[in-house]
Amino acid sequence: MGPGLIFWHPKGAMIQFQLRRFIEDTILERGYSLVYTPNITREELFLRSGHLPLYAANQFPPMAAGEGEAESVRYRVKPMNCPMHILIYAAQQRSYRDLPVRLAEIANLYRNERSGTLHGMLRVRGLTMDDAHIFLREDQIEQEIFQLLDLVELVLGKTFGLSYRLDLATRPDKKLGTDATWDQAERALEQALKHRGATYRVDQGGGAFYGPKIDIKFNDAIGREWQGATIQLDFEQPERFGLEYTGEDNRPHRPVMIHRAIFGTLERFVGFLIEHFAGAFPLWLAPEQVRVLPISDDQLPAAREVQSKLRAAGLRAHLDERNETLNYKIRDAETHKVPYMAVVGQREAEAGTVAVRVRGSGKKQEVVPLEEFVKRLQAENRTRALSPLT
Ligand SMILES: [Zn+2]
């Protein structure tokens, strides 16, 4: 019902849900706060942030005011969270001790991308971004960039096993702010990369309109390049909104702002994952983790018991109750790339065991006590392992 608007069906939604849980749990351990902000606000907010008129072509046209408001008032659907998070920062007195303030929101954003540039899940108009804004002192920039690069390494490197590279993207032609501010921001990012000993390339003119950025690029299993994560340094918006914190000297100072996303948009990232794993997701991401297959109707009660024990252990187990041959059901589970099959025959039903088939291991089957099977899968699920634990 509109170009570039994605409907997430149950399986895709489960993958998105797991990614959200993962990133939210991870950043809460690292001093972030979660916030939620409205999908529409008065247009004046985007005028103040400088998105309008500079970014107008990418925003959807304004909506009329709500009932009871002046007729001149206009609303806009949000293309970014930055101005909203700025308002949350500015709603309180902040002291140098409170910084960095890290506000995160996995938000639905709408961008009026030209229809010719739309492409499946990779370039959309309705996007879901794992966004965050960090408000900090200038002397904290380097430390924060280090923490962000660690987060990128944890998520992309360690969890997904990707090798990636860093691009330092500098000032574009269409930009806010003075050259002096840009010099300062570009230098700060460059220094952080150098002190970290990171290798990077310079992407001349590839920065955001409010500041330079570090873009993280990686390749999928068949060598195509993707861009997701981004770390952007912004001296401009704190200035426009007159943001302050009280320094050690009891005087007002201006904080700096970092915009960052790790997955980027979940549409694009899940699109990448589908291609990268060719649909065979690691256990923790697989929409269906185990398929329980009774050999005949006689084992249905035992198979139901197996399913409910797996579910109670936090695993996504489905039961194939169809009146089909076992071979047919196995082939079907293979087609759907379900990581594990648990076959229940008469012997297994009596012994409290399951005959386990691991995705990609052909006809190999191993009979294990149900409890052991549950423990093994829980460990694999919890550690977000890329392949089965042995
Ligand atoms: Zn932002």
Side-chain angles (χ1 to χ4, degrees), residues 21 24 47 72 94 208 245:
R21 273 226 306 221
E24 287 183 344
L47 285 164
S72 57
R94 309 283 180 174
Y245 68 88

Side-chain angles (χ1 to χ4, degrees), residues 17 58 78 96 112 130 153 155 174 189 237 257 310 322 324 384:
F17 174 67
N58 295 78
K78 69 176 167 184
Y96 68 97
N112 197 5
D130 69 313
E153 172 55 25
V155 175
K174 228 167 104 178
L189 281 187
Q237 302 219 38
M257 195 174 159
L310 287 162
R322 291 175 299 176
E324 299 285 356
R384 300 191 177 88

Side-chain angles (χ1 to χ4, degrees), residues 102-365:
R102 304 179 181 94
L103 305 179
E105 177 174 14
I106 299 179
N108 295 112
L109 308 173
Y110 292 88
R111 296 181 182 175
N112 197 5
E113 303 283 1
R114 290 203 326 277
S115 63
T117 66
L118 299 175
H119 181 50
M121 285 179 75
L122 308 184
R123 185 106 183 199
V124 294
R125 282 182 175 166
L127 41 124
T128 317
M129 187 179 286
D130 69 313
D131 202 6
H133 294 95
I134 301 158
F135 302 86
L136 69 175
R137 309 190 305 259
E138 277 185 46
D139 65 287
Q140 294 174 317
I141 293 174
E142 188 158 305
Q143 205 48 46
E144 196 63 24
I145 300 288
F146 287 0
Q147 198 210 60
L148 286 165
L149 292 173
D150 286 344
L151 187 58
V152 167
E153 172 55 25
L154 172 73
V155 175
L156 299 182
K158 198 158 159 278
T159 307
F160 288 103
L162 301 169
S163 53
Y164 52 86
R165 63 182 175 87
L166 309 174
D167 278 5
L168 173 60
T170 58
R171 72 196 76 178
D173 293 335
K174 228 167 104 178
K175 64 180 194 297
L176 297 175
T178 64
D179 280 325
T181 318
W182 277 89
D183 287 341
Q184 189 185 8
E186 287 171 2
R187 211 177 313 120
L189 281 187
E190 202 176 353
Q191 288 283 336
L193 285 168
K194 286 210 166 116
H195 289 163
R196 179 143 171 128
T199 44
Y200 63 94
R201 300 198 320 197
V202 175
D203 172 11
Q204 211 68 249
F209 69 82
Y210 44 75
K213 56 184 180 158
I214 299 170
D215 284 331
I216 291 91
K217 297 185 172 154
F218 47 89
N219 294 318
D220 66 16
I222 60 168
R224 280 175 303 186
E225 189 178 80
W226 297 74
Q227 195 208 308
T230 180
I231 300 168
Q232 315 181 341
L233 192 56
D234 183 357
F235 286 82
E236 180 61 25
Q237 302 219 38
E239 191 72 36
R240 288 183 159 254
F241 281 88
L243 297 185
E244 286 180 350
Y245 68 88
T246 308
E248 215 166 343
D249 56 5
N250 258 323
R251 298 225 182 113
H253 295 262
R254 187 126 297 158
V256 188
M257 195 174 159
I258 293 175
H259 311 243
R260 75 100 184 104
I262 304 299
F263 294 134
T265 78
L266 286 158
E267 285 74 15
R268 175 180 280 263
F269 196 75
V270 171
F272 156 74
L273 291 177
I274 293 168
E275 300 283 339
H276 184 64
F277 291 117
F281 296 100
L283 185 73
W284 73 278
L285 279 179
E288 178 182 353
Q289 296 177 308
V290 192
R291 193 172 290 185
V292 183
L293 308 176
I295 291 183
S296 77
D297 280 355
D298 294 342
Q299 289 90 45
L300 257 181
R304 285 201 185 106
E305 185 71 20
V306 169
Q307 183 196 25
S308 75
K309 285 205 169 127
L310 287 162
R311 283 189 170 166
L315 295 158
R316 298 184 288 282
H318 294 241
L319 173 62
D320 191 343
E321 299 189 53
R322 291 175 299 176
N323 192 16
E324 299 285 356
T325 63
L326 181 64
N327 273 338
Y328 177 90
K329 292 183 187 179
I330 288 173
R331 266 203 315 277
D332 189 63
E334 278 169 353
T335 305
H336 287 92
K337 306 197 177 178
V338 182
Y340 288 96
M341 285 178 241
V343 181
V344 184
Q346 198 51 44
R347 238 175 314 161
E348 287 79 22
E350 281 163 13
T353 57
V354 285
V356 176
R357 295 172 82 111
V358 184
R359 181 182 57 203
S361 304
K363 292 194 163 110
K364 229 174 86 189
Q365 197 165 285

